[in-house]
Amino acid sequence: MAEEGAFKRRRADGGCGSIGRSGSGSGSGSPRAALAACHDPSSAEPIDVDVGGTRFRASRATLVNASTYFESLLSERWRAEGRGGEGKESDDDEGMGSRGGGGGAGGRGRAGRGRGSSSTTPPAIFVDQCPQAFELLLSYMRSGVTYLPRDDPYLCEKTLMLAEYLGVHGFLVSIKAVTMKNVSRREDYLSDEASEAAQFDVRFGSLRHAVDKGILPVCYFPPSDELRIKVSDRVFHASKKVLTEKSGYFSRFLASSPEDYWKEEYVSGENPDVMEVALQMMSSPNSAFTTMTEKFHSVSGQNVKFRHFYVQAILTWLDKLQLPVDFRDNCVQTITHTFNA
């Protein structure tokens, strides 16, 4: 019976929508706010938003549930006082009726007309921001799917900053969590999205700082494993994973700072023939043996002096690559065997 009485009181107060307006239960994205939105007829009210001259239309619930900016702007107080002035106009009319004597019915009549006038289409909310960025955020508000265009870094940056301005925190939590996973070069989250996002904040600080440092939006997208290595007029392709595992030199080049792993090209002044063998040594020693043999036989008379110079250049470059000791020793044995063959 107590529950039935509480339900009737909520009906008398205007339905479940009153739950979302009650102190601790209110808040964008909270269970009570979501429950209120389901039962509040005004949640489906279409709201026009003018962003930088482009008009968008979305339901009040869509905007309020995902954005603290719109949650505040479209609060019940703003709806009453800002979008038609229903509350204020009604009070004034009732006061005028009472001053005119016998004004109960008259006051109600004039208040009714005040409410009727609020049914006209209200002006759009103006937001002086980038419409393309807002379109991406509105798509998230509607679907919950996070998306940034990889081929347009500038639009990505504007979208991130606009999300912070509008308080679209769910969008930013998802972005930060994915970025933290990518920077750590992990396949999965260590915990939930919120915890990953918190780690991101501890490591990189503010969103603006992460953007200025080049962490975002670059590191939100999965890095390519391929590194192009340009040597003179030749281009080699190598695996970043292999390079960082086998070479201290490339590990520093690709991992000194988080965004380094997203580098796509390395330019070297090394001899291209030497670079070719050195890269093959790290990925496929047998291929390096074949390449060296072919190179030796391509020199007329198998010039011993050339062989010696070639082998020394390879050994010098292998030292520069800072290979693990055991692996380097195996490489030296392969080279020596090839040289004496």
Side-chain angles (χ1 to χ4, degrees), residues 129-141:
Q129 295 287 339
C130 172
Q132 290 80 15
F134 183 79
E135 184 175 16
L136 293 174
L137 292 179
L138 183 57
S139 176
Y140 167 80
M141 294 180 197

Side-chain angles (χ1 to χ4, degrees), residues 33-261:
L35 178 62
C38 292
H39 294 278
D40 184 0
S42 67
S43 66
E45 174 190 354
I47 303 293
D48 289 329
V49 184
D50 183 338
V51 184
T54 301
R55 292 177 76 96
F56 298 88
R57 173 166 287 195
S59 72
R60 178 174 176 271
T62 294
L63 298 173
V64 166
N65 291 343
S67 164
T68 57
Y69 175 90
F70 286 112
E71 180 188 25
S72 175
L73 194 63
L74 296 174
S75 65
E76 288 301 319
R77 179 180 178 184
W78 183 85
R79 282 167 51 79
E81 298 180 3
R83 290 177 67 94
E86 178 183 334
K88 184 177 185 300
E89 187 171 314
S90 178
D91 292 342
D92 289 345
D93 282 348
E94 289 180 2
M96 290 174 64
S98 63
R99 286 193 297 271
R108 285 194 297 273
R110 283 188 291 273
R113 287 193 296 273
R115 284 191 293 270
S117 64
S118 68
S119 64
T120 58
T121 303
I125 300 170
F126 181 70
V127 180
D128 191 15
Q129 295 287 339
C130 172
Q132 290 80 15
F134 183 79
E135 184 175 16
L136 293 174
L137 292 179
L138 183 57
S139 176
Y140 167 80
M141 294 180 197
R142 287 169 170 158
S143 66
V145 176
T146 307
Y147 170 76
L148 288 175
R150 186 168 192 164
D151 59 348
D152 194 341
Y154 182 52
L155 178 56
C156 291
E157 290 182 12
K158 290 192 291 185
T159 302
L160 291 170
M161 301 317 300
L162 181 57
E164 184 174 59
Y165 175 77
L166 295 178
V168 189
H169 299 305
F171 181 86
L172 292 177
V173 164
S174 179
I175 294 291
K176 291 177 179 180
V178 171
T179 302
M180 194 65 202
K181 175 172 66 70
N182 289 341
V183 166
S184 304
R185 298 208 286 279
R186 290 187 269 105
E187 295 294 329
D188 300 303
Y189 296 142
L190 290 178
S191 51
D192 55 53
E193 275 195 340
S195 299
E196 293 281 357
Q199 291 182 34
F200 177 96
D201 291 334
V202 170
R203 183 167 180 178
F204 301 113
S206 69
L207 183 70
R208 168 59 71 182
H209 182 66
V211 169
D212 290 343
K213 279 196 65 178
I215 302 299
L216 288 173
V218 174
C219 299
Y220 168 70
F221 305 104
S224 168
D225 184 56
E226 181 182 287
L227 180 69
R228 294 191 306 272
I229 301 177
K230 297 183 67 175
V231 187
S232 187
D233 59 344
R234 297 175 64 182
V235 177
F236 303 98
H237 300 272
S239 164
K240 293 178 183 177
K241 182 178 180 180
V242 171
L243 292 176
T244 53
E245 288 178 351
K246 298 287 181 66
S247 168
Y249 176 85
F250 277 110
S251 181
R252 285 197 307 275
F253 175 73
L254 292 169
S256 293
S257 57
E259 68 274 17
D260 285 346
Y261 203 76

